[in-house]
Amino acid sequence: MPEIFGRYTVPGLGGERLVRMHSPSRKLRGPRPLLLLFDGQNVFDDEPSFSGGWHVHASVDKLSPERHHVPVVVAIDHGGEQRIDELGPFEAPAPKGLPGGGSARGGKADVLLEWIGATLLPDVRARFPIVEGPVGVCIGGSSMGGLAAMYAHFRRPDLFGGVISMSPSFWFGQRALFAFIGKQPTPHFSRIYLDGGLREGGGNMAQLVARMGELLSMRGYGPDTLKLVLDPRGAHGERHWRRRFPAALRFMYRKS
């Protein structure tokens, strides 16, 4: 079952940040991969989430060790009203309906990634035998968390070798992530799961996700390194990400 890994203050972001974790219940030999997930309130149980958790611990425990590498999962709580700032890689006007409407939001993702690399990852590696290097660490999330995860992989390929990006907010910052990724070299080790629902944003979400998939395919990503899912039933919400997450896990951690 999930447990509290620690309580942290992230320099430059402020406020106490709860970090939850789940280690597979079965005894597994040797180093294991690590899955880091944003929006930790939604990752495990229903109670901390406003619309139900993903039950990631249950999905991880169902993985077959014969067919999959079974990861340790660490989930980082978002900072409440600061969420859009810390998960937004670029400054942009706040979307309508959010606090600070019209003023610049975002632009602090690098602060969060620096803390993950300098503090959280060393703490996790000190407690668990994690596979060394970026090949051992996948980062993931949904919506703004999906945007931040994709950015993190191309911004810090030395830390993160895999991405689970679900219904990512590629629209944020005038779609600046497309230009950013276009200027970055392809990470030496890279495996990407990318999805979106056809019922999100009047179909705009699926269009942006499909566009990103096309750009990655043009860079040489194939069936072993990229899985693109356009969900006909998918809307923007936790229950849809919970439903799709087991397939993301199986792709990311399958044994060759």
Side-chain angles (χ1 to χ4, degrees):
M1 293 296 293
E3 59 185 81
I4 303 301
F5 181 81
R7 299 178 185 272
Y8 291 86
T9 299
V10 182
L13 296 180
E16 187 177 70
R17 203 62 58 92
L18 189 66
V19 176
R20 300 173 172 89
M21 58 79 58
H22 173 68
S23 180
S25 57
R26 290 159 294 183
K27 291 184 178 180
L28 302 171
R29 295 182 179 179
R32 297 192 296 246
L34 171 65
L35 174 58
L36 287 174
L37 293 172
F38 293 119
D39 295 328
Q41 292 95 327
N42 301 326
V43 167
F44 297 121
D45 298 316
D46 292 336
E47 184 178 355
S49 174
F50 73 96
S51 60
W54 294 10
H55 305 169
V56 166
H57 52 297
S59 297
V60 167
D61 285 345
K62 290 178 182 177
L63 288 176
S64 165
E66 289 74 31
R67 296 193 297 269
H68 300 94
H69 304 284
V70 184
V72 172
V73 183
V74 170
I76 307 163
D77 274 19
H78 63 70
E81 291 187 358
Q82 295 188 76
R83 177 177 180 265
I84 197 169
D85 295 317
E86 65 194 32
L87 297 180
F90 321 100
E91 284 195 354
K96 294 180 181 179
L98 289 180
S103 61
R105 301 297 304 270
K108 295 184 178 181
D110 283 344
V111 176
L112 183 59
L113 297 181
E114 176 64 25
W115 170 77
I116 290 173
T119 300
L120 184 59
L121 278 178
D123 284 358
V124 174
R125 291 187 183 278
R127 182 168 171 181
F128 298 99
I130 300 299
V131 176
E132 290 295 327
V135 67
V137 184
C138 172
I139 192 161
S142 66
S143 193
M144 286 297 294
L147 171 74
M150 186 70 80
Y151 173 78
H153 178 48
F154 284 89
R155 181 71 176 85
R156 294 298 305 270
D158 58 315
L159 296 179
F160 313 113
V163 184
I164 294 176
S165 182
M166 308 182 79
S167 300
S169 299
F170 287 156
W171 51 265
F172 185 81
Q174 304 297 314
R175 307 179 182 181
L177 187 69
F178 288 92
F180 171 79
I181 290 179
K183 295 177 181 177
Q184 308 307 310
T186 300
H188 178 68
F189 183 84
S190 184
R191 179 175 286 180
I192 297 174
Y193 171 92
L194 177 62
D195 76 19
L198 297 182
R199 295 168 56 198
E200 297 183 73
N204 292 327
M205 168 71 72
Q207 291 179 11
L208 290 174
V209 167
R211 178 184 169 196
M212 181 64 76
E214 291 173 1
L215 294 176
L216 293 172
S217 295
M218 291 172 61
R219 294 180 64 156
Y221 285 81
D224 289 335
T225 52
L226 172 66
K227 185 174 181 63
L228 174 65
V229 175
L230 299 178
D231 181 5
R233 297 185 292 147
H236 203 76
E238 308 302 332
R239 68 184 182 91
H240 297 277
W241 302 321
R242 178 171 62 240
R243 174 170 53 81
R244 296 199 297 261
F245 197 81
L249 275 178
R250 292 192 296 271
F251 171 76
M252 189 59 58
Y253 293 110
R254 72 193 189 284
K255 293 183 177 179
S256 300

